[in-house]
Amino acid sequence: MSQKATNLRINAERLWETIMETAQIGATAKGGVRRLTLSDLDRRVRDWFVDACKKAGCSITVDDMGNIFARRAGKNPNLAPIAVGSHLDTQPSGGKFDGIIGVLSGLELLRTLNEAGIETEAPIEVIDWTNEEGSRFAPAMLASGVFAGKFSREYAYARADRDGKSFGEELERIGYRGEAPCGAHPLSAFFELHIEQGPILEAEGKVIGVVTDVQGMRWYEVTVEGEDCHAGTTPMPMRKDALLASARMITAINAVGRRHAPHAVTTVGLIEAQPNSRNVIPGKTFFTIDIRHPHDAVLATMEDEITRELEAIAAACGVSLALERVWNSPPVPFAKECVDAVREAARDLGLPSREIISGAGHDAAYVAAVAPTAMIFVPCERGISHNELEKAEPEHVAAGADVLLRAVLATDARLAEGVRA
Ligand SMILES: [Zn+2]
């Protein structure tokens, strides 16, 4: 990297003002943002973003999933762009930072490069991915999923909201169904800056999370069947109590999570008991299991342990067990060269950092399937997110954007060296 690039910092005040300006589009009374995917407000923020990027000298491409690519040309048009970005849509009662800082720090990066008169070797792109949140059109990360070949375009277009409006119709209606086929767009690298949405960085006084992996997740559905019986006349040893068996199973599932500390988490978040009557021994239950860990092998072990222990509990309680895995989202390790670029950027800037595993899904997790990718986390107050009270400190957001800028410039220097070699 040149001396000029090494000393370069983003304009923290301008970045913060930009975040506060776009927060007006869909602002809620409690200080949050409600900007649902493909709504009129989504169109407004997209128009704002496209306009700001054009003013920064970018050319704009919109693909047929509505993903926006704002490109700042590089010296070498044969190199695939180095991309940064995230999402501008929010949860129904979302905050000002989730996704948004990843896109707007990209815009700030462009403005900083322009002011400094730095020409990169590769083009730089800032991306706004459509429908990351998935709250209006499930599933989440729909458009980055199509980009990475995880979903078909037809599947995406057919997703409907609760009023029966389809993703395809709404994309057309707001005028963001572009010409470019989604996915036919090589990237040299992709970096996503995001708030942590968890409490770890804040608790440890770290400013930068060097994200190494996105953890894997498996979902199960469990049905336990015993026998409905009179609560007053059935002696304790003769009962087939499905709810009691389920309670023991929940305890066992929790223990599996603790056994694989510190990274494992296991949750039973939903349970239904039948007939749900105070004087009937419950004959049937249905519950869900959510298990997560960064390594597939550990997830497989956890699955084995849960299966074995639930079967043993069912046998001991005289009930039947049906356990079905309904979803498997494998862990995503990020690209070493991109993770290194983030780690070194934080170190060179003297920012306290630590390695961290993303507990939540992000566009970067899909993009990682088709381009070398990494993420940068910055703290958010008490880890609260998907909430109008979501809060990040201006200096932390600025630090994250500086790391982003430096990681991009280091990647560009590496690509330039590759071209010369
Ligand atoms: Zn997000």
Side-chain angles (χ1 to χ4, degrees), residues 213-218 220 291-304 325 327-333:
D213 305 80
V214 178
Q215 68 182 350
M217 181 175 11
R218 297 186 186 194
Y220 308 84
I291 71 171
R292 306 188 191 207
H293 195 278
H295 299 128
D296 231 8
V298 181
L299 281 169
T301 304
M302 289 164 68
E303 179 176 300
D304 285 348
R325 191 212 284 170
W327 192 39
N328 181 13
S329 169
V332 178

PDB file of all heavy atoms in Angstrom, residues 213-218 220 291-304 325 327-333:
ATOM      1  N   ASP A 213     -15.965 -16.919  10.868  1.00  0.00           N
ATOM      2  CA  ASP A 213     -16.936 -17.914  10.395  1.00  0.00           C
ATOM      3  C   ASP A 213     -18.347 -17.422  10.674  1.00  0.00           C
ATOM      4  O   ASP A 213     -18.559 -16.611  11.566  1.00  0.00           O
ATOM      5  CB  ASP A 213     -16.830 -19.239  11.189  1.00  0.00           C
ATOM      6  CG  ASP A 213     -15.439 -19.843  11.196  1.00  0.00           C
ATOM      7  OD1 ASP A 213     -14.604 -19.377  11.994  1.00  0.00           O
ATOM      8  OD2 ASP A 213     -15.209 -20.774  10.421  1.00  0.00           O
ATOM      9  N   VAL A 214     -19.284 -17.993   9.914  1.00  0.00           N
ATOM     10  CA  VAL A 214     -20.702 -17.885  10.297  1.00  0.00           C
ATOM     11  C   VAL A 214     -21.091 -19.279  10.763  1.00  0.00           C
ATOM     12  O   VAL A 214     -20.824 -20.270  10.070  1.00  0.00           O
ATOM     13  CB  VAL A 214     -21.587 -17.455   9.113  1.00  0.00           C
ATOM     14  CG1 VAL A 214     -23.049 -17.391   9.530  1.00  0.00           C
ATOM     15  CG2 VAL A 214     -21.125 -16.103   8.576  1.00  0.00           C
ATOM     16  N   GLN A 215     -21.658 -19.366  11.952  1.00  0.00           N
ATOM     17  CA  GLN A 215     -21.902 -20.697  12.489  1.00  0.00           C
ATOM     18  C   GLN A 215     -23.000 -21.436  11.730  1.00  0.00           C
ATOM     19  O   GLN A 215     -23.847 -20.843  11.082  1.00  0.00           O
ATOM     20  CB  GLN A 215     -22.245 -20.620  13.972  1.00  0.00           C
ATOM     21  CG  GLN A 215     -23.571 -19.956  14.281  1.00  0.00           C
ATOM     22  CD  GLN A 215     -23.812 -19.870  15.768  1.00  0.00           C
ATOM     23  OE1 GLN A 215     -23.095 -20.460  16.561  1.00  0.00           O
ATOM     24  NE2 GLN A 215     -24.846 -19.132  16.163  1.00  0.00           N
ATOM     25  N   GLY A 216     -22.934 -22.758  11.810  1.00  0.00           N
ATOM     26  CA  GLY A 216     -23.948 -23.601  11.187  1.00  0.00           C
ATOM     27  C   GLY A 216     -25.144 -23.761  12.104  1.00  0.00           C
ATOM     28  O   GLY A 216     -25.063 -23.533  13.315  1.00  0.00           O
ATOM     29  N   MET A 217     -26.236 -24.158  11.505  1.00  0.00           N
ATOM     30  CA  MET A 217     -27.486 -24.240  12.260  1.00  0.00           C
ATOM     31  C   MET A 217     -28.289 -25.440  11.761  1.00  0.00           C
ATOM     32  O   MET A 217     -28.324 -25.688  10.559  1.00  0.00           O
ATOM     33  CB  MET A 217     -28.235 -22.940  12.001  1.00  0.00           C
ATOM     34  CG  MET A 217     -29.530 -22.808  12.712  1.00  0.00           C
ATOM     35  SD  MET A 217     -30.309 -21.182  12.498  1.00  0.00           S
ATOM     36  CE  MET A 217     -29.414 -20.354  11.227  1.00  0.00           C
ATOM     37  N   ARG A 218     -28.867 -26.176  12.695  1.00  0.00           N
ATOM     38  CA  ARG A 218     -29.777 -27.270  12.309  1.00  0.00           C
ATOM     39  C   ARG A 218     -31.068 -27.117  13.111  1.00  0.00           C
ATOM     40  O   ARG A 218     -31.017 -26.798  14.297  1.00  0.00           O
ATOM     41  CB  ARG A 218     -29.136 -28.632  12.602  1.00  0.00           C
ATOM     42  CG  ARG A 218     -27.871 -28.873  11.791  1.00  0.00           C
ATOM     43  CD  ARG A 218     -27.331 -30.287  12.000  1.00  0.00           C
ATOM     44  NE  ARG A 218     -26.039 -30.451  11.331  1.00  0.00           N
ATOM     45  CZ  ARG A 218     -25.451 -31.623  11.116  1.00  0.00           C
ATOM     46  NH1 ARG A 218     -26.032 -32.746  11.527  1.00  0.00           N
ATOM     47  NH2 ARG A 218     -24.284 -31.695  10.513  1.00  0.00           N
ATOM     48  N   TYR A 220     -34.849 -28.962  14.169  1.00  0.00           N
ATOM     49  CA  TYR A 220     -35.555 -30.235  14.294  1.00  0.00           C
ATOM     50  C   TYR A 220     -36.979 -29.993  14.780  1.00  0.00           C
ATOM     51  O   TYR A 220     -37.251 -28.995  15.450  1.00  0.00           O
ATOM     52  CB  TYR A 220     -34.855 -31.161  15.315  1.00  0.00           C
ATOM     53  CG  TYR A 220     -33.389 -31.326  15.033  1.00  0.00           C
ATOM     54  CD1 TYR A 220     -32.464 -30.389  15.495  1.00  0.00           C
ATOM     55  CD2 TYR A 220     -32.921 -32.404  14.290  1.00  0.00           C
ATOM     56  CE1 TYR A 220     -31.110 -30.510  15.212  1.00  0.00           C
ATOM     57  CE2 TYR A 220     -31.567 -32.540  14.016  1.00  0.00           C
ATOM     58  CZ  TYR A 220     -30.670 -31.584  14.475  1.00  0.00           C
ATOM     59  OH  TYR A 220     -29.343 -31.706  14.192  1.00  0.00           O
ATOM     60  N   ILE A 291     -30.127 -25.886  17.022  1.00  0.00           N
ATOM     61  CA  ILE A 291     -28.753 -26.050  17.520  1.00  0.00           C
ATOM     62  C   ILE A 291     -27.785 -25.339  16.575  1.00  0.00           C
ATOM     63  O   ILE A 291     -27.997 -25.324  15.360  1.00  0.00           O
ATOM     64  CB  ILE A 291     -28.349 -27.540  17.702  1.00  0.00           C
ATOM     65  CG1 ILE A 291     -28.152 -28.256  16.357  1.00  0.00           C
ATOM     66  CG2 ILE A 291     -29.358 -28.286  18.562  1.00  0.00           C
ATOM     67  CD1 ILE A 291     -27.544 -29.659  16.505  1.00  0.00           C
ATOM     68  N   ARG A 292     -26.752 -24.728  17.151  1.00  0.00           N
ATOM     69  CA  ARG A 292     -25.798 -23.977  16.318  1.00  0.00           C
ATOM     70  C   ARG A 292     -24.357 -24.173  16.811  1.00  0.00           C
ATOM     71  O   ARG A 292     -24.123 -24.270  18.014  1.00  0.00           O
ATOM     72  CB  ARG A 292     -26.121 -22.481  16.356  1.00  0.00           C
ATOM     73  CG  ARG A 292     -27.565 -22.206  15.988  1.00  0.00           C
ATOM     74  CD  ARG A 292     -27.855 -20.743  15.832  1.00  0.00           C
ATOM     75  NE  ARG A 292     -29.297 -20.523  15.748  1.00  0.00           N
ATOM     76  CZ  ARG A 292     -29.859 -19.504  15.123  1.00  0.00           C
ATOM     77  NH1 ARG A 292     -29.115 -18.602  14.530  1.00  0.00           N
ATOM     78  NH2 ARG A 292     -31.168 -19.377  15.093  1.00  0.00           N
ATOM     79  N   HIS A 293     -23.458 -24.220  15.859  1.00  0.00           N
ATOM     80  CA  HIS A 293     -22.030 -24.335  16.157  1.00  0.00           C
ATOM     81  C   HIS A 293     -21.251 -24.016  14.883  1.00  0.00           C
ATOM     82  O   HIS A 293     -21.737 -24.289  13.788  1.00  0.00           O
ATOM     83  CB  HIS A 293     -21.682 -25.751  16.648  1.00  0.00           C
ATOM     84  CG  HIS A 293     -20.332 -25.844  17.295  1.00  0.00           C
ATOM     85  ND1 HIS A 293     -19.166 -25.969  16.566  1.00  0.00           N
ATOM     86  CD2 HIS A 293     -19.961 -25.787  18.598  1.00  0.00           C
ATOM     87  CE1 HIS A 293     -18.140 -26.000  17.409  1.00  0.00           C
ATOM     88  NE2 HIS A 293     -18.588 -25.887  18.643  1.00  0.00           N
ATOM     89  N   PRO A 294     -20.024 -23.462  15.012  1.00  0.00           N
ATOM     90  CA  PRO A 294     -19.249 -23.140  13.798  1.00  0.00           C
ATOM     91  C   PRO A 294     -18.684 -24.345  13.053  1.00  0.00           C
ATOM     92  O   PRO A 294     -18.233 -24.193  11.932  1.00  0.00           O
ATOM     93  CB  PRO A 294     -18.119 -22.239  14.299  1.00  0.00           C
ATOM     94  CG  PRO A 294     -18.158 -22.278  15.768  1.00  0.00           C
ATOM     95  CD  PRO A 294     -19.434 -22.879  16.222  1.00  0.00           C
ATOM     96  N   HIS A 295     -18.670 -25.529  13.646  1.00  0.00           N
ATOM     97  CA  HIS A 295     -18.075 -26.679  12.960  1.00  0.00           C
ATOM     98  C   HIS A 295     -19.098 -27.783  12.719  1.00  0.00           C
ATOM     99  O   HIS A 295     -19.789 -28.210  13.642  1.00  0.00           O
ATOM    100  CB  HIS A 295     -16.884 -27.225  13.754  1.00  0.00           C
ATOM    101  CG  HIS A 295     -15.792 -26.223  13.916  1.00  0.00           C
ATOM    102  ND1 HIS A 295     -15.246 -25.897  15.131  1.00  0.00           N
ATOM    103  CD2 HIS A 295     -15.186 -25.419  13.014  1.00  0.00           C
ATOM    104  CE1 HIS A 295     -14.339 -24.942  14.960  1.00  0.00           C
ATOM    105  NE2 HIS A 295     -14.294 -24.637  13.693  1.00  0.00           N
ATOM    106  N   ASP A 296     -19.119 -28.256  11.488  1.00  0.00           N
ATOM    107  CA  ASP A 296     -20.091 -29.271  11.108  1.00  0.00           C
ATOM    108  C   ASP A 296     -19.924 -30.566  11.909  1.00  0.00           C
ATOM    109  O   ASP A 296     -20.913 -31.203  12.269  1.00  0.00           O
ATOM    110  CB  ASP A 296     -19.951 -29.570   9.606  1.00  0.00           C
ATOM    111  CG  ASP A 296     -21.297 -29.490   8.897  1.00  0.00           C
ATOM    112  OD1 ASP A 296     -22.284 -29.052   9.528  1.00  0.00           O
ATOM    113  OD2 ASP A 296     -21.362 -29.881   7.731  1.00  0.00           O
ATOM    114  N   ALA A 297     -18.666 -30.929  12.190  1.00  0.00           N
ATOM    115  CA  ALA A 297     -18.422 -32.178  12.914  1.00  0.00           C
ATOM    116  C   ALA A 297     -19.027 -32.110  14.315  1.00  0.00           C
ATOM    117  O   ALA A 297     -19.604 -33.088  14.809  1.00  0.00           O
ATOM    118  CB  ALA A 297     -16.918 -32.440  13.005  1.00  0.00           C
ATOM    119  N   VAL A 298     -18.921 -30.942  14.952  1.00  0.00           N
ATOM    120  CA  VAL A 298     -19.500 -30.800  16.298  1.00  0.00           C
ATOM    121  C   VAL A 298     -21.028 -30.812  16.210  1.00  0.00           C
ATOM    122  O   VAL A 298     -21.705 -31.426  17.039  1.00  0.00           O
ATOM    123  CB  VAL A 298     -18.993 -29.509  16.982  1.00  0.00           C
ATOM    124  CG1 VAL A 298     -19.584 -29.382  18.382  1.00  0.00           C
ATOM    125  CG2 VAL A 298     -17.470 -29.508  17.038  1.00  0.00           C
ATOM    126  N   LEU A 299     -21.561 -30.175  15.174  1.00  0.00           N
ATOM    127  CA  LEU A 299     -23.019 -30.209  14.992  1.00  0.00           C
ATOM    128  C   LEU A 299     -23.509 -31.656  14.851  1.00  0.00           C
ATOM    129  O   LEU A 299     -24.531 -32.036  15.419  1.00  0.00           O
ATOM    130  CB  LEU A 299     -23.417 -29.410  13.747  1.00  0.00           C
ATOM    131  CG  LEU A 299     -23.468 -27.894  13.910  1.00  0.00           C
ATOM    132  CD1 LEU A 299     -23.616 -27.221  12.548  1.00  0.00           C
ATOM    133  CD2 LEU A 299     -24.618 -27.473  14.824  1.00  0.00           C
ATOM    134  N   ALA A 300     -22.735 -32.447  14.103  1.00  0.00           N
ATOM    135  CA  ALA A 300     -23.111 -33.848  13.917  1.00  0.00           C
ATOM    136  C   ALA A 300     -23.061 -34.603  15.243  1.00  0.00           C
ATOM    137  O   ALA A 300     -23.964 -35.396  15.562  1.00  0.00           O
ATOM    138  CB  ALA A 300     -22.186 -34.501  12.895  1.00  0.00           C
ATOM    139  N   THR A 301     -22.031 -34.338  16.050  1.00  0.00           N
ATOM    140  CA  THR A 301     -21.931 -34.969  17.375  1.00  0.00           C
ATOM    141  C   THR A 301     -23.105 -34.541  18.256  1.00  0.00           C
ATOM    142  O   THR A 301     -23.717 -35.369  18.939  1.00  0.00           O
ATOM    143  CB  THR A 301     -20.604 -34.547  18.058  1.00  0.00           C
ATOM    144  OG1 THR A 301     -19.540 -34.886  17.187  1.00  0.00           O
ATOM    145  CG2 THR A 301     -20.419 -35.235  19.395  1.00  0.00           C
ATOM    146  N   MET A 302     -23.407 -33.251  18.227  1.00  0.00           N
ATOM    147  CA  MET A 302     -24.523 -32.752  19.037  1.00  0.00           C
ATOM    148  C   MET A 302     -25.833 -33.419  18.611  1.00  0.00           C
ATOM    149  O   MET A 302     -26.658 -33.790  19.450  1.00  0.00           O
ATOM    150  CB  MET A 302     -24.630 -31.225  18.903  1.00  0.00           C
ATOM    151  CG  MET A 302     -23.493 -30.480  19.602  1.00  0.00           C
ATOM    152  SD  MET A 302     -23.366 -28.755  19.070  1.00  0.00           S
ATOM    153  CE  MET A 302     -24.870 -28.068  19.757  1.00  0.00           C
ATOM    154  N   GLU A 303     -25.992 -33.570  17.304  1.00  0.00           N
ATOM    155  CA  GLU A 303     -27.211 -34.222  16.788  1.00  0.00           C
ATOM    156  C   GLU A 303     -27.298 -35.668  17.287  1.00  0.00           C
ATOM    157  O   GLU A 303     -28.358 -36.127  17.734  1.00  0.00           O
ATOM    158  CB  GLU A 303     -27.219 -34.184  15.259  1.00  0.00           C
ATOM    159  CG  GLU A 303     -28.434 -34.860  14.650  1.00  0.00           C
ATOM    160  CD  GLU A 303     -28.469 -34.724  13.129  1.00  0.00           C
ATOM    161  OE1 GLU A 303     -28.498 -33.582  12.649  1.00  0.00           O
ATOM    162  OE2 GLU A 303     -28.455 -35.757  12.438  1.00  0.00           O
ATOM    163  N   ASP A 304     -26.143 -36.385  17.245  1.00  0.00           N
ATOM    164  CA  ASP A 304     -26.114 -37.772  17.736  1.00  0.00           C
ATOM    165  C   ASP A 304     -26.476 -37.836  19.216  1.00  0.00           C
ATOM    166  O   ASP A 304     -27.259 -38.678  19.648  1.00  0.00           O
ATOM    167  CB  ASP A 304     -24.708 -38.369  17.555  1.00  0.00           C
ATOM    168  CG  ASP A 304     -24.428 -38.706  16.107  1.00  0.00           C
ATOM    169  OD1 ASP A 304     -25.389 -38.683  15.308  1.00  0.00           O
ATOM    170  OD2 ASP A 304     -23.255 -38.967  15.770  1.00  0.00           O
ATOM    171  N   ARG A 325     -35.134 -33.866  11.408  1.00  0.00           N
ATOM    172  CA  ARG A 325     -34.354 -32.680  11.075  1.00  0.00           C
ATOM    173  C   ARG A 325     -35.053 -31.978   9.907  1.00  0.00           C
ATOM    174  O   ARG A 325     -35.283 -32.584   8.861  1.00  0.00           O
ATOM    175  CB  ARG A 325     -32.936 -33.076  10.675  1.00  0.00           C
ATOM    176  CG  ARG A 325     -32.007 -31.865  10.583  1.00  0.00           C
ATOM    177  CD  ARG A 325     -30.956 -32.032   9.537  1.00  0.00           C
ATOM    178  NE  ARG A 325     -29.881 -32.923   9.957  1.00  0.00           N
ATOM    179  CZ  ARG A 325     -28.959 -33.352   9.100  1.00  0.00           C
ATOM    180  NH1 ARG A 325     -29.006 -33.010   7.827  1.00  0.00           N
ATOM    181  NH2 ARG A 325     -28.012 -34.151   9.516  1.00  0.00           N
ATOM    182  N   TRP A 327     -34.157 -28.600   8.851  1.00  0.00           N
ATOM    183  CA  TRP A 327     -33.326 -27.586   8.171  1.00  0.00           C
ATOM    184  C   TRP A 327     -31.884 -27.780   8.561  1.00  0.00           C
ATOM    185  O   TRP A 327     -31.576 -28.073   9.714  1.00  0.00           O
ATOM    186  CB  TRP A 327     -33.785 -26.167   8.554  1.00  0.00           C
ATOM    187  CG  TRP A 327     -33.186 -25.099   7.683  1.00  0.00           C
ATOM    188  CD1 TRP A 327     -32.962 -25.164   6.334  1.00  0.00           C
ATOM    189  CD2 TRP A 327     -32.727 -23.806   8.095  1.00  0.00           C
ATOM    190  NE1 TRP A 327     -32.408 -23.987   5.889  1.00  0.00           N
ATOM    191  CE2 TRP A 327     -32.249 -23.141   6.934  1.00  0.00           C
ATOM    192  CE3 TRP A 327     -32.673 -23.151   9.322  1.00  0.00           C
ATOM    193  CZ2 TRP A 327     -31.728 -21.852   6.970  1.00  0.00           C
ATOM    194  CZ3 TRP A 327     -32.158 -21.864   9.365  1.00  0.00           C
ATOM    195  CH2 TRP A 327     -31.702 -21.213   8.207  1.00  0.00           C
ATOM    196  N   ASN A 328     -30.981 -27.642   7.581  1.00  0.00           N
ATOM    197  CA  ASN A 328     -29.559 -27.740   7.852  1.00  0.00           C
ATOM    198  C   ASN A 328     -28.848 -26.616   7.108  1.00  0.00           C
ATOM    199  O   ASN A 328     -28.812 -26.601   5.885  1.00  0.00           O
ATOM    200  CB  ASN A 328     -29.028 -29.105   7.382  1.00  0.00           C
ATOM    201  CG  ASN A 328     -27.548 -29.257   7.661  1.00  0.00           C
ATOM    202  OD1 ASN A 328     -26.959 -28.470   8.413  1.00  0.00           O
ATOM    203  ND2 ASN A 328     -26.934 -30.259   7.059  1.00  0.00           N
ATOM    204  N   SER A 329     -28.345 -25.657   7.832  1.00  0.00           N
ATOM    205  CA  SER A 329     -27.607 -24.550   7.235  1.00  0.00           C
ATOM    206  C   SER A 329     -26.148 -24.709   7.652  1.00  0.00           C
ATOM    207  O   SER A 329     -25.793 -24.453   8.803  1.00  0.00           O
ATOM    208  CB  SER A 329     -28.195 -23.231   7.734  1.00  0.00           C
ATOM    209  OG  SER A 329     -27.363 -22.171   7.388  1.00  0.00           O
ATOM    210  N   PRO A 330     -25.289 -25.198   6.750  1.00  0.00           N
ATOM    211  CA  PRO A 330     -23.916 -25.525   7.145  1.00  0.00           C
ATOM    212  C   PRO A 330     -23.110 -24.288   7.554  1.00  0.00           C
ATOM    213  O   PRO A 330     -23.434 -23.184   7.121  1.00  0.00           O
ATOM    214  CB  PRO A 330     -23.310 -26.150   5.894  1.00  0.00           C
ATOM    215  CG  PRO A 330     -24.358 -26.154   4.850  1.00  0.00           C
ATOM    216  CD  PRO A 330     -25.537 -25.390   5.324  1.00  0.00           C
ATOM    217  N   PRO A 331     -22.078 -24.487   8.376  1.00  0.00           N
ATOM    218  CA  PRO A 331     -21.217 -23.364   8.762  1.00  0.00           C
ATOM    219  C   PRO A 331     -20.506 -22.798   7.535  1.00  0.00           C
ATOM    220  O   PRO A 331     -20.281 -23.521   6.568  1.00  0.00           O
ATOM    221  CB  PRO A 331     -20.190 -23.989   9.700  1.00  0.00           C
ATOM    222  CG  PRO A 331     -20.691 -25.346  10.020  1.00  0.00           C
ATOM    223  CD  PRO A 331     -21.630 -25.756   8.955  1.00  0.00           C
ATOM    224  N   VAL A 332     -20.173 -21.522   7.612  1.00  0.00           N
ATOM    225  CA  VAL A 332     -19.449 -20.869   6.511  1.00  0.00           C
ATOM    226  C   VAL A 332     -18.132 -20.318   7.041  1.00  0.00           C
ATOM    227  O   VAL A 332     -18.129 -19.358   7.812  1.00  0.00           O
ATOM    228  CB  VAL A 332     -20.276 -19.712   5.916  1.00  0.00           C
ATOM    229  CG1 VAL A 332     -19.495 -19.007   4.805  1.00  0.00           C
ATOM    230  CG2 VAL A 332     -21.613 -20.205   5.407  1.00  0.00           C
ATOM    231  N   PRO A 333     -16.999 -20.922   6.667  1.00  0.00           N
ATOM    232  CA  PRO A 333     -15.711 -20.322   7.030  1.00  0.00           C
ATOM    233  C   PRO A 333     -15.383 -19.229   6.017  1.00  0.00           C
ATOM    234  O   PRO A 333     -15.543 -19.428   4.808  1.00  0.00           O
ATOM    235  CB  PRO A 333     -14.730 -21.495   6.904  1.00  0.00           C
ATOM    236  CG  PRO A 333     -15.404 -22.495   6.016  1.00  0.00           C
ATOM    237  CD  PRO A 333     -16.866 -22.177   5.922  1.00  0.00           C
TER     238      PRO A 333
END
